[in-house]
PDB file of all heavy atoms in Angstrom:
ATOM      1  N   VAL K   1       0.868  -1.194   0.008  1.00 93.00           N
ATOM      2  CA  VAL K   1      -0.001  -0.008   0.000  1.00 93.00           C
ATOM      3  C   VAL K   1       0.890   1.226  -0.012  1.00 93.00           C
ATOM      4  O   VAL K   1       1.748   1.396   0.892  1.00 93.00           O
ATOM      5  CB  VAL K   1      -0.949   0.025   1.211  1.00 93.00           C
ATOM      6  CG1 VAL K   1      -1.679   1.363   1.294  1.00 93.00           C
ATOM      7  CG2 VAL K   1      -1.936  -1.114   1.147  1.00 93.00           C
ATOM      8  N   GLU K   2       0.731   2.061  -0.993  1.00 96.00           N
ATOM      9  CA  GLU K   2       1.521   3.304  -1.126  1.00 96.00           C
ATOM     10  C   GLU K   2       0.746   4.476  -0.529  1.00 96.00           C
ATOM     11  O   GLU K   2      -0.476   4.566  -0.700  1.00 96.00           O
ATOM     12  CB  GLU K   2       1.842   3.597  -2.583  1.00 96.00           C
ATOM     13  CG  GLU K   2       2.714   4.813  -2.788  1.00 96.00           C
ATOM     14  CD  GLU K   2       3.019   5.087  -4.232  1.00 96.00           C
ATOM     15  OE1 GLU K   2       2.528   4.347  -5.120  1.00 96.00           O
ATOM     16  OE2 GLU K   2       3.763   6.048  -4.514  1.00 96.00           O
ATOM     17  N   ILE K   3       1.449   5.326   0.197  1.00 97.00           N
ATOM     18  CA  ILE K   3       0.838   6.552   0.726  1.00 97.00           C
ATOM     19  C   ILE K   3       1.294   7.727  -0.140  1.00 97.00           C
ATOM     20  O   ILE K   3       2.484   7.974  -0.263  1.00 97.00           O
ATOM     21  CB  ILE K   3       1.221   6.797   2.202  1.00 97.00           C
ATOM     22  CG1 ILE K   3       0.820   5.597   3.059  1.00 97.00           C
ATOM     23  CG2 ILE K   3       0.593   8.069   2.705  1.00 97.00           C
ATOM     24  CD1 ILE K   3       1.303   5.710   4.512  1.00 97.00           C
ATOM     25  N   ILE K   4       0.328   8.434  -0.718  1.00 98.00           N
ATOM     26  CA  ILE K   4       0.621   9.547  -1.600  1.00 98.00           C
ATOM     27  C   ILE K   4       0.126  10.832  -0.958  1.00 98.00           C
ATOM     28  O   ILE K   4      -1.058  10.934  -0.550  1.00 98.00           O
ATOM     29  CB  ILE K   4      -0.036   9.355  -2.988  1.00 98.00           C
ATOM     30  CG1 ILE K   4       0.526   8.099  -3.638  1.00 98.00           C
ATOM     31  CG2 ILE K   4       0.208  10.583  -3.869  1.00 98.00           C
ATOM     32  CD1 ILE K   4      -0.170   7.698  -4.898  1.00 98.00           C
ATOM     33  N   ASP K   5       0.998  11.798  -0.825  1.00 98.00           N
ATOM     34  CA  ASP K   5       0.647  13.079  -0.203  1.00 98.00           C
ATOM     35  C   ASP K   5       0.001  13.968  -1.268  1.00 98.00           C
ATOM     36  O   ASP K   5       0.598  14.269  -2.300  1.00 98.00           O
ATOM     37  CB  ASP K   5       1.894  13.754   0.354  1.00 98.00           C
ATOM     38  CG  ASP K   5       1.590  14.912   1.301  1.00 98.00           C
ATOM     39  OD1 ASP K   5       0.440  15.340   1.360  1.00 98.00           O
ATOM     40  OD2 ASP K   5       2.514  15.373   1.991  1.00 98.00           O
ATOM     41  N   LEU K   6      -1.236  14.375  -1.039  1.00 98.00           N
ATOM     42  CA  LEU K   6      -1.983  15.232  -1.976  1.00 98.00           C
ATOM     43  C   LEU K   6      -1.981  16.705  -1.550  1.00 98.00           C
ATOM     44  O   LEU K   6      -2.734  17.503  -2.086  1.00 98.00           O
ATOM     45  CB  LEU K   6      -3.431  14.730  -2.097  1.00 98.00           C
ATOM     46  CG  LEU K   6      -3.632  13.279  -2.452  1.00 98.00           C
ATOM     47  CD1 LEU K   6      -5.117  12.952  -2.644  1.00 98.00           C
ATOM     48  CD2 LEU K   6      -2.846  12.876  -3.716  1.00 98.00           C
ATOM     49  N   THR K   7      -1.092  17.021  -0.596  1.00 98.00           N
ATOM     50  CA  THR K   7      -1.109  18.349   0.041  1.00 98.00           C
ATOM     51  C   THR K   7      -0.020  19.266  -0.510  1.00 98.00           C
ATOM     52  O   THR K   7       1.119  18.849  -0.651  1.00 98.00           O
ATOM     53  CB  THR K   7      -0.886  18.187   1.549  1.00 98.00           C
ATOM     54  OG1 THR K   7      -1.700  17.113   2.051  1.00 98.00           O
ATOM     55  CG2 THR K   7      -1.242  19.478   2.287  1.00 98.00           C
ATOM     56  N   ALA K   8      -0.376  20.525  -0.781  1.00 97.00           N
ATOM     57  CA  ALA K   8       0.597  21.518  -1.153  1.00 97.00           C
ATOM     58  C   ALA K   8       1.290  22.042   0.095  1.00 97.00           C
ATOM     59  O   ALA K   8       0.634  22.296   1.124  1.00 97.00           O
ATOM     60  CB  ALA K   8      -0.068  22.679  -1.893  1.00 97.00           C
ATOM     61  N   PRO K   9       2.627  22.212   0.094  1.00 96.00           N
ATOM     62  CA  PRO K   9       3.301  22.818   1.245  1.00 96.00           C
ATOM     63  C   PRO K   9       2.740  24.159   1.595  1.00 96.00           C
ATOM     64  O   PRO K   9       2.320  24.931   0.702  1.00 96.00           O
ATOM     65  CB  PRO K   9       4.767  22.923   0.792  1.00 96.00           C
ATOM     66  CG  PRO K   9       4.899  21.914  -0.290  1.00 96.00           C
ATOM     67  CD  PRO K   9       3.565  21.850  -0.985  1.00 96.00           C
ATOM     68  N   LEU K  10       2.680  24.487   2.866  1.00 96.00           N
ATOM     69  CA  LEU K  10       2.020  25.712   3.352  1.00 96.00           C
ATOM     70  C   LEU K  10       3.117  26.693   3.781  1.00 96.00           C
ATOM     71  O   LEU K  10       3.907  26.401   4.693  1.00 96.00           O
ATOM     72  CB  LEU K  10       1.092  25.367   4.515  1.00 96.00           C
ATOM     73  CG  LEU K  10       0.198  26.477   5.056  1.00 96.00           C
ATOM     74  CD1 LEU K  10      -0.683  27.060   3.975  1.00 96.00           C
ATOM     75  CD2 LEU K  10      -0.672  25.911   6.196  1.00 96.00           C
ATOM     76  N   SER K  11       3.135  27.872   3.143  1.00 96.00           N
ATOM     77  CA  SER K  11       4.137  28.875   3.473  1.00 96.00           C
ATOM     78  C   SER K  11       3.596  30.250   3.114  1.00 96.00           C
ATOM     79  O   SER K  11       2.444  30.387   2.637  1.00 96.00           O
ATOM     80  CB  SER K  11       5.451  28.618   2.657  1.00 96.00           C
ATOM     81  OG  SER K  11       5.277  28.988   1.305  1.00 96.00           O
ATOM     82  N   ASP K  12       4.388  31.274   3.323  1.00 95.00           N
ATOM     83  CA  ASP K  12       3.979  32.633   2.982  1.00 95.00           C
ATOM     84  C   ASP K  12       3.880  32.851   1.469  1.00 95.00           C
ATOM     85  O   ASP K  12       3.383  33.882   1.015  1.00 95.00           O
ATOM     86  CB  ASP K  12       4.871  33.683   3.611  1.00 95.00           C
ATOM     87  CG  ASP K  12       6.338  33.541   3.215  1.00 95.00           C
ATOM     88  OD1 ASP K  12       6.684  32.660   2.392  1.00 95.00           O
ATOM     89  OD2 ASP K  12       7.159  34.306   3.752  1.00 95.00           O
ATOM     90  N   ARG K  13       4.306  31.846   0.675  1.00 95.00           N
ATOM     91  CA  ARG K  13       4.201  31.934  -0.783  1.00 95.00           C
ATOM     92  C   ARG K  13       2.966  31.180  -1.310  1.00 95.00           C
ATOM     93  O   ARG K  13       2.703  31.200  -2.515  1.00 95.00           O
ATOM     94  CB  ARG K  13       5.461  31.333  -1.411  1.00 95.00           C
ATOM     95  CG  ARG K  13       6.740  32.090  -1.077  1.00 95.00           C
ATOM     96  CD  ARG K  13       7.936  31.430  -1.756  1.00 95.00           C
ATOM     97  NE  ARG K  13       7.769  31.380  -3.209  1.00 95.00           N
ATOM     98  CZ  ARG K  13       8.495  30.610  -4.011  1.00 95.00           C
ATOM     99  NH1 ARG K  13       9.419  29.813  -3.490  1.00 95.00           N
ATOM    100  NH2 ARG K  13       8.290  30.627  -5.315  1.00 95.00           N
ATOM    101  N   THR K  14       2.222  30.542  -0.420  1.00 96.00           N
ATOM    102  CA  THR K  14       1.037  29.806  -0.861  1.00 96.00           C
ATOM    103  C   THR K  14       0.013  30.743  -1.473  1.00 96.00           C
ATOM    104  O   THR K  14      -0.346  31.747  -0.883  1.00 96.00           O
ATOM    105  CB  THR K  14       0.418  29.097   0.358  1.00 96.00           C
ATOM    106  OG1 THR K  14       1.317  28.103   0.825  1.00 96.00           O
ATOM    107  CG2 THR K  14      -0.894  28.402  -0.027  1.00 96.00           C
ATOM    108  N   PRO K  15      -0.449  30.466  -2.712  1.00 95.00           N
ATOM    109  CA  PRO K  15      -1.451  31.339  -3.349  1.00 95.00           C
ATOM    110  C   PRO K  15      -2.750  31.361  -2.542  1.00 95.00           C
ATOM    111  O   PRO K  15      -3.171  30.367  -1.969  1.00 95.00           O
ATOM    112  CB  PRO K  15      -1.694  30.681  -4.710  1.00 95.00           C
ATOM    113  CG  PRO K  15      -0.479  29.825  -4.942  1.00 95.00           C
ATOM    114  CD  PRO K  15      -0.055  29.362  -3.595  1.00 95.00           C
ATOM    115  N   ILE K  16      -3.398  32.503  -2.492  1.00 93.00           N
ATOM    116  CA  ILE K  16      -4.706  32.644  -1.818  1.00 93.00           C
ATOM    117  C   ILE K  16      -5.662  33.337  -2.763  1.00 93.00           C
ATOM    118  O   ILE K  16      -5.291  34.097  -3.664  1.00 93.00           O
ATOM    119  CB  ILE K  16      -4.614  33.436  -0.497  1.00 93.00           C
ATOM    120  CG1 ILE K  16      -4.023  34.829  -0.725  1.00 93.00           C
ATOM    121  CG2 ILE K  16      -3.780  32.672   0.515  1.00 93.00           C
ATOM    122  CD1 ILE K  16      -4.058  35.718   0.512  1.00 93.00           C
ATOM    123  N   LEU K  17      -6.943  33.032  -2.561  1.00 88.00           N
ATOM    124  CA  LEU K  17      -7.987  33.643  -3.363  1.00 88.00           C
ATOM    125  C   LEU K  17      -7.995  35.161  -3.186  1.00 88.00           C
ATOM    126  O   LEU K  17      -7.852  35.650  -2.068  1.00 88.00           O
ATOM    127  CB  LEU K  17      -9.338  33.058  -2.919  1.00 88.00           C
ATOM    128  CG  LEU K  17     -10.584  33.509  -3.715  1.00 88.00           C
ATOM    129  CD1 LEU K  17     -10.499  32.997  -5.125  1.00 88.00           C
ATOM    130  CD2 LEU K  17     -11.850  33.014  -3.028  1.00 88.00           C
ATOM    131  N   GLN K  18      -8.184  35.879  -4.289  1.00 86.00           N
ATOM    132  CA  GLN K  18      -8.211  37.329  -4.243  1.00 86.00           C
ATOM    133  C   GLN K  18      -9.616  37.802  -4.668  1.00 86.00           C
ATOM    134  O   GLN K  18      -9.990  37.695  -5.826  1.00 86.00           O
ATOM    135  CB  GLN K  18      -7.157  37.915  -5.200  1.00 86.00           C
ATOM    136  CG  GLN K  18      -5.734  37.566  -4.792  1.00 86.00           C
ATOM    137  CD  GLN K  18      -5.322  38.226  -3.504  1.00 86.00           C
ATOM    138  OE1 GLN K  18      -5.649  39.406  -3.236  1.00 86.00           O
ATOM    139  NE2 GLN K  18      -4.605  37.487  -2.678  1.00 86.00           N
ATOM    140  N   LEU K  19     -10.375  38.331  -3.732  1.00 87.00           N
ATOM    141  CA  LEU K  19     -11.695  38.865  -4.033  1.00 87.00           C
ATOM    142  C   LEU K  19     -11.607  40.391  -4.182  1.00 87.00           C
ATOM    143  O   LEU K  19     -10.836  41.048  -3.525  1.00 87.00           O
ATOM    144  CB  LEU K  19     -12.669  38.542  -2.885  1.00 87.00           C
ATOM    145  CG  LEU K  19     -12.923  37.044  -2.613  1.00 87.00           C
ATOM    146  CD1 LEU K  19     -13.829  36.884  -1.403  1.00 87.00           C
ATOM    147  CD2 LEU K  19     -13.552  36.386  -3.811  1.00 87.00           C
ATOM    148  N   PRO K  20     -12.452  40.935  -5.081  1.00 86.00           N
ATOM    149  CA  PRO K  20     -12.394  42.403  -5.285  1.00 86.00           C
ATOM    150  C   PRO K  20     -13.054  43.118  -4.136  1.00 86.00           C
ATOM    151  O   PRO K  20     -13.854  42.575  -3.361  1.00 86.00           O
ATOM    152  CB  PRO K  20     -13.190  42.564  -6.565  1.00 86.00           C
ATOM    153  CG  PRO K  20     -14.157  41.425  -6.569  1.00 86.00           C
ATOM    154  CD  PRO K  20     -13.419  40.260  -5.959  1.00 86.00           C
ATOM    155  N   GLU K  21     -12.718  44.402  -3.999  1.00 87.00           N
ATOM    156  CA  GLU K  21     -13.407  45.248  -3.007  1.00 87.00           C
ATOM    157  C   GLU K  21     -14.888  45.282  -3.324  1.00 87.00           C
ATOM    158  O   GLU K  21     -15.279  45.237  -4.492  1.00 87.00           O
ATOM    159  CB  GLU K  21     -12.795  46.648  -3.004  1.00 87.00           C
ATOM    160  CG  GLU K  21     -11.360  46.703  -2.550  1.00 87.00           C
ATOM    161  CD  GLU K  21     -10.814  48.129  -2.506  1.00 87.00           C
ATOM    162  OE1 GLU K  21     -11.550  49.045  -2.936  1.00 87.00           O
ATOM    163  OE2 GLU K  21      -9.693  48.307  -2.055  1.00 87.00           O
ATOM    164  N   PRO K  22     -15.736  45.367  -2.322  1.00 93.00           N
ATOM    165  CA  PRO K  22     -15.473  45.618  -0.905  1.00 93.00           C
ATOM    166  C   PRO K  22     -15.339  44.332  -0.072  1.00 93.00           C
ATOM    167  O   PRO K  22     -15.369  44.394   1.137  1.00 93.00           O
ATOM    168  CB  PRO K  22     -16.723  46.375  -0.468  1.00 93.00           C
ATOM    169  CG  PRO K  22     -17.809  45.739  -1.268  1.00 93.00           C
ATOM    170  CD  PRO K  22     -17.219  45.415  -2.606  1.00 93.00           C
ATOM    171  N   PHE K  23     -15.178  43.171  -0.733  1.00 93.00           N
ATOM    172  CA  PHE K  23     -15.174  41.914  -0.008  1.00 93.00           C
ATOM    173  C   PHE K  23     -13.863  41.708   0.754  1.00 93.00           C
ATOM    174  O   PHE K  23     -12.796  42.145   0.342  1.00 93.00           O
ATOM    175  CB  PHE K  23     -15.381  40.735  -0.959  1.00 93.00           C
ATOM    176  CG  PHE K  23     -16.646  40.823  -1.762  1.00 93.00           C
ATOM    177  CD1 PHE K  23     -16.628  40.972  -3.136  1.00 93.00           C
ATOM    178  CD2 PHE K  23     -17.886  40.807  -1.109  1.00 93.00           C
ATOM    179  CE1 PHE K  23     -17.800  41.062  -3.859  1.00 93.00           C
ATOM    180  CE2 PHE K  23     -19.048  40.910  -1.834  1.00 93.00           C
ATOM    181  CZ  PHE K  23     -19.022  41.025  -3.213  1.00 93.00           C
ATOM    182  N   GLY K  24     -13.980  41.050   1.928  1.00 93.00           N
ATOM    183  CA  GLY K  24     -12.796  40.728   2.698  1.00 93.00           C
ATOM    184  C   GLY K  24     -12.043  39.576   2.083  1.00 93.00           C
ATOM    185  O   GLY K  24     -12.611  38.761   1.334  1.00 93.00           O
ATOM    186  N   ASN K  25     -10.741  39.493   2.389  1.00 92.00           N
ATOM    187  CA  ASN K  25      -9.900  38.459   1.824  1.00 92.00           C
ATOM    188  C   ASN K  25      -9.209  37.651   2.931  1.00 92.00           C
ATOM    189  O   ASN K  25      -8.987  38.162   4.032  1.00 92.00           O
ATOM    190  CB  ASN K  25      -8.857  39.064   0.897  1.00 92.00           C
ATOM    191  CG  ASN K  25      -9.381  39.263  -0.506  1.00 92.00           C
ATOM    192  OD1 ASN K  25      -9.674  38.303  -1.189  1.00 92.00           O
ATOM    193  ND2 ASN K  25      -9.486  40.503  -0.946  1.00 92.00           N
ATOM    194  N   ALA K  26      -8.880  36.427   2.593  1.00 91.00           N
ATOM    195  CA  ALA K  26      -8.131  35.571   3.501  1.00 91.00           C
ATOM    196  C   ALA K  26      -6.720  36.116   3.720  1.00 91.00           C
ATOM    197  O   ALA K  26      -6.157  36.781   2.855  1.00 91.00           O
ATOM    198  CB  ALA K  26      -8.061  34.153   2.940  1.00 91.00           C
ATOM    199  N   SER K  27      -6.153  35.793   4.863  1.00 89.00           N
ATOM    200  CA  SER K  27      -4.797  36.210   5.169  1.00 89.00           C
ATOM    201  C   SER K  27      -3.791  35.219   4.597  1.00 89.00           C
ATOM    202  O   SER K  27      -4.038  34.011   4.627  1.00 89.00           O
ATOM    203  CB  SER K  27      -4.577  36.283   6.677  1.00 89.00           C
ATOM    204  OG  SER K  27      -5.484  37.193   7.282  1.00 89.00           O
ATOM    205  N   PRO K  28      -2.671  35.691   4.087  1.00 92.00           N
ATOM    206  CA  PRO K  28      -1.594  34.757   3.718  1.00 92.00           C
ATOM    207  C   PRO K  28      -1.090  34.017   4.953  1.00 92.00           C
ATOM    208  O   PRO K  28      -1.184  34.502   6.071  1.00 92.00           O
ATOM    209  CB  PRO K  28      -0.514  35.684   3.150  1.00 92.00           C
ATOM    210  CG  PRO K  28      -1.184  36.971   2.859  1.00 92.00           C
ATOM    211  CD  PRO K  28      -2.322  37.093   3.829  1.00 92.00           C
ATOM    212  N   PHE K  29      -0.530  32.861   4.730  1.00 96.00           N
ATOM    213  CA  PHE K  29       0.069  32.118   5.836  1.00 96.00           C
ATOM    214  C   PHE K  29       1.292  32.827   6.326  1.00 96.00           C
ATOM    215  O   PHE K  29       2.093  33.354   5.551  1.00 96.00           O
ATOM    216  CB  PHE K  29       0.443  30.705   5.363  1.00 96.00           C
ATOM    217  CG  PHE K  29       1.066  29.859   6.423  1.00 96.00           C
ATOM    218  CD1 PHE K  29       0.263  29.177   7.343  1.00 96.00           C
ATOM    219  CD2 PHE K  29       2.432  29.773   6.564  1.00 96.00           C
ATOM    220  CE1 PHE K  29       0.835  28.429   8.346  1.00 96.00           C
ATOM    221  CE2 PHE K  29       3.011  29.006   7.558  1.00 96.00           C
ATOM    222  CZ  PHE K  29       2.193  28.338   8.452  1.00 96.00           C
ATOM    223  N   ARG K  30       1.453  32.846   7.685  1.00 97.00           N
ATOM    224  CA  ARG K  30       2.649  33.500   8.258  1.00 97.00           C
ATOM    225  C   ARG K  30       2.985  32.841   9.584  1.00 97.00           C
ATOM    226  O   ARG K  30       2.107  32.502  10.361  1.00 97.00           O
ATOM    227  CB  ARG K  30       2.359  34.991   8.472  1.00 97.00           C
ATOM    228  CG  ARG K  30       3.498  35.761   9.124  1.00 97.00           C
ATOM    229  CD  ARG K  30       3.223  37.261   9.109  1.00 97.00           C
ATOM    230  NE  ARG K  30       2.046  37.628   9.836  1.00 97.00           N
ATOM    231  CZ  ARG K  30       2.031  37.911  11.158  1.00 97.00           C
ATOM    232  NH1 ARG K  30       3.153  37.835  11.873  1.00 97.00           N
ATOM    233  NH2 ARG K  30       0.906  38.264  11.744  1.00 97.00           N
ATOM    234  N   LEU K  31       4.268  32.611   9.804  1.00 98.00           N
ATOM    235  CA  LEU K  31       4.775  32.157  11.087  1.00 98.00           C
ATOM    236  C   LEU K  31       5.329  33.334  11.881  1.00 98.00           C
ATOM    237  O   LEU K  31       6.019  34.195  11.320  1.00 98.00           O
ATOM    238  CB  LEU K  31       5.893  31.132  10.900  1.00 98.00           C
ATOM    239  CG  LEU K  31       5.533  29.763  10.333  1.00 98.00           C
ATOM    240  CD1 LEU K  31       6.762  28.901  10.225  1.00 98.00           C
ATOM    241  CD2 LEU K  31       4.495  29.055  11.203  1.00 98.00           C
ATOM    242  N   GLU K  32       5.008  33.392  13.175  1.00 98.00           N
ATOM    243  CA  GLU K  32       5.547  34.409  14.063  1.00 98.00           C
ATOM    244  C   GLU K  32       6.325  33.692  15.163  1.00 98.00           C
ATOM    245  O   GLU K  32       5.726  32.968  15.965  1.00 98.00           O
ATOM    246  CB  GLU K  32       4.459  35.290  14.650  1.00 98.00           C
ATOM    247  CG  GLU K  32       4.986  36.383  15.571  1.00 98.00           C
ATOM    248  CD  GLU K  32       3.882  37.266  16.106  1.00 98.00           C
ATOM    249  OE1 GLU K  32       2.700  37.038  15.748  1.00 98.00           O
ATOM    250  OE2 GLU K  32       4.191  38.136  16.937  1.00 98.00           O
ATOM    251  N   GLU K  33       7.626  33.895  15.175  1.00 98.00           N
ATOM    252  CA  GLU K  33       8.461  33.156  16.084  1.00 98.00           C
ATOM    253  C   GLU K  33       8.200  33.539  17.543  1.00 98.00           C
ATOM    254  O   GLU K  33       8.124  34.711  17.897  1.00 98.00           O
ATOM    255  CB  GLU K  33       9.930  33.402  15.726  1.00 98.00           C
ATOM    256  CG  GLU K  33      10.917  32.517  16.481  1.00 98.00           C
ATOM    257  CD  GLU K  33      12.327  32.755  15.982  1.00 98.00           C
ATOM    258  OE1 GLU K  33      12.666  32.203  14.914  1.00 98.00           O
ATOM    259  OE2 GLU K  33      13.090  33.509  16.656  1.00 98.00           O
ATOM    260  N   ILE K  34       8.048  32.512  18.404  1.00 98.00           N
ATOM    261  CA  ILE K  34       7.929  32.702  19.838  1.00 98.00           C
ATOM    262  C   ILE K  34       9.295  32.612  20.494  1.00 98.00           C
ATOM    263  O   ILE K  34       9.659  33.485  21.308  1.00 98.00           O
ATOM    264  CB  ILE K  34       6.963  31.674  20.431  1.00 98.00           C
ATOM    265  CG1 ILE K  34       5.572  31.768  19.775  1.00 98.00           C
ATOM    266  CG2 ILE K  34       6.853  31.864  21.954  1.00 98.00           C
ATOM    267  CD1 ILE K  34       4.633  30.646  20.186  1.00 98.00           C
ATOM    268  N   SER K  35      10.034  31.562  20.186  1.00 98.00           N
ATOM    269  CA  SER K  35      11.423  31.452  20.637  1.00 98.00           C
ATOM    270  C   SER K  35      12.129  30.457  19.767  1.00 98.00           C
ATOM    271  O   SER K  35      11.500  29.620  19.109  1.00 98.00           O
ATOM    272  CB  SER K  35      11.485  30.972  22.114  1.00 98.00           C
ATOM    273  OG  SER K  35      11.047  29.629  22.235  1.00 98.00           O
ATOM    274  N   ARG K  36      13.472  30.570  19.750  1.00 98.00           N
ATOM    275  CA  ARG K  36      14.276  29.630  18.942  1.00 98.00           C
ATOM    276  C   ARG K  36      15.632  29.446  19.625  1.00 98.00           C
ATOM    277  O   ARG K  36      16.621  30.036  19.263  1.00 98.00           O
ATOM    278  CB  ARG K  36      14.441  30.157  17.515  1.00 98.00           C
ATOM    279  CG  ARG K  36      15.029  29.105  16.565  1.00 98.00           C
ATOM    280  CD  ARG K  36      15.058  29.594  15.127  1.00 98.00           C
ATOM    281  NE  ARG K  36      15.546  28.584  14.222  1.00 98.00           N
ATOM    282  CZ  ARG K  36      14.908  28.129  13.146  1.00 98.00           C
ATOM    283  NH1 ARG K  36      13.715  28.612  12.859  1.00 98.00           N
ATOM    284  NH2 ARG K  36      15.459  27.209  12.377  1.00 98.00           N
ATOM    285  N   TYR K  37      15.633  28.591  20.644  1.00 98.00           N
ATOM    286  CA  TYR K  37      16.837  28.244  21.379  1.00 98.00           C
ATOM    287  C   TYR K  37      17.581  29.515  21.864  1.00 98.00           C
ATOM    288  O   TYR K  37      18.804  29.628  21.744  1.00 98.00           O
ATOM    289  CB  TYR K  37      17.790  27.410  20.515  1.00 98.00           C
ATOM    290  CG  TYR K  37      17.082  26.458  19.575  1.00 98.00           C
ATOM    291  CD1 TYR K  37      17.316  26.530  18.198  1.00 98.00           C
ATOM    292  CD2 TYR K  37      16.214  25.491  20.056  1.00 98.00           C
ATOM    293  CE1 TYR K  37      16.669  25.659  17.322  1.00 98.00           C
ATOM    294  CE2 TYR K  37      15.558  24.638  19.199  1.00 98.00           C
ATOM    295  CZ  TYR K  37      15.799  24.716  17.823  1.00 98.00           C
ATOM    296  OH  TYR K  37      15.163  23.860  16.960  1.00 98.00           O
ATOM    297  N   ASP K  38      16.832  30.448  22.424  1.00 98.00           N
ATOM    298  CA  ASP K  38      17.397  31.713  22.839  1.00 98.00           C
ATOM    299  C   ASP K  38      16.861  32.083  24.210  1.00 98.00           C
ATOM    300  O   ASP K  38      16.261  31.259  24.909  1.00 98.00           O
ATOM    301  CB  ASP K  38      17.140  32.805  21.786  1.00 98.00           C
ATOM    302  CG  ASP K  38      15.652  32.923  21.427  1.00 98.00           C
ATOM    303  OD1 ASP K  38      14.781  32.600  22.291  1.00 98.00           O
ATOM    304  OD2 ASP K  38      15.348  33.344  20.307  1.00 98.00           O
ATOM    305  N   ASP K  39      17.034  33.347  24.611  1.00 98.00           N
ATOM    306  CA  ASP K  39      16.621  33.743  25.953  1.00 98.00           C
ATOM    307  C   ASP K  39      15.095  33.709  26.111  1.00 98.00           C
ATOM    308  O   ASP K  39      14.587  33.747  27.245  1.00 98.00           O
ATOM    309  CB  ASP K  39      17.160  35.129  26.323  1.00 98.00           C
ATOM    310  CG  ASP K  39      16.787  36.197  25.330  1.00 98.00           C
ATOM    311  OD1 ASP K  39      16.075  35.896  24.347  1.00 98.00           O
ATOM    312  OD2 ASP K  39      17.221  37.359  25.535  1.00 98.00           O
ATOM    313  N   ARG K  40      14.346  33.654  25.040  1.00 98.00           N
ATOM    314  CA  ARG K  40      12.886  33.505  25.128  1.00 98.00           C
ATOM    315  C   ARG K  40      12.463  32.044  25.381  1.00 98.00           C
ATOM    316  O   ARG K  40      11.324  31.783  25.702  1.00 98.00           O
ATOM    317  CB  ARG K  40      12.245  34.004  23.828  1.00 98.00           C
ATOM    318  CG  ARG K  40      12.486  35.459  23.499  1.00 98.00           C
ATOM    319  CD  ARG K  40      12.042  35.786  22.095  1.00 98.00           C
ATOM    320  NE  ARG K  40      12.794  35.018  21.105  1.00 98.00           N
ATOM    321  CZ  ARG K  40      12.498  34.944  19.818  1.00 98.00           C
ATOM    322  NH1 ARG K  40      11.420  35.614  19.360  1.00 98.00           N
ATOM    323  NH2 ARG K  40      13.226  34.231  18.990  1.00 98.00           N
ATOM    324  N   GLY K  41      13.410  31.155  25.197  1.00 98.00           N
ATOM    325  CA  GLY K  41      13.183  29.718  25.374  1.00 98.00           C
ATOM    326  C   GLY K  41      14.423  28.980  24.941  1.00 98.00           C
ATOM    327  O   GLY K  41      14.582  28.674  23.766  1.00 98.00           O
ATOM    328  N   PRO K  42      15.362  28.720  25.875  1.00 98.00           N
ATOM    329  CA  PRO K  42      16.696  28.248  25.498  1.00 98.00           C
ATOM    330  C   PRO K  42      16.735  26.860  24.875  1.00 98.00           C
ATOM    331  O   PRO K  42      17.695  26.552  24.141  1.00 98.00           O
ATOM    332  CB  PRO K  42      17.463  28.292  26.822  1.00 98.00           C
ATOM    333  CG  PRO K  42      16.401  28.210  27.876  1.00 98.00           C
ATOM    334  CD  PRO K  42      15.227  28.935  27.309  1.00 98.00           C
TER     335      PRO K  42
END
């Protein structure tokens, strides 16, 4: 049995739907760092 990934990688470059004004739009994907082996979390 083969497992096939049907998922597109998720990043800030992932395309999102663009609706015209006055409609609201989805936010692009974004990571906000909390800590990375530093004084915020060693």
Side-chain angles (χ1 to χ4, degrees):
V1 172
E2 183 180 2
I3 303 175
I4 299 172
D5 195 348
L6 306 184
T7 316
L10 187 56
S11 74
D12 58 3
R13 297 180 58 196
T14 296
I16 58 173
L17 184 67
Q18 297 292 320
L19 298 176
E21 294 183 354
F23 302 116
N25 276 294
S27 301
F29 180 83
R30 177 171 62 88
L31 291 179
E32 182 179 356
E33 189 174 281
I34 302 172
S35 68
R36 191 174 183 125
Y37 326 122
D38 52 28
D39 56 1
R40 299 169 298 170

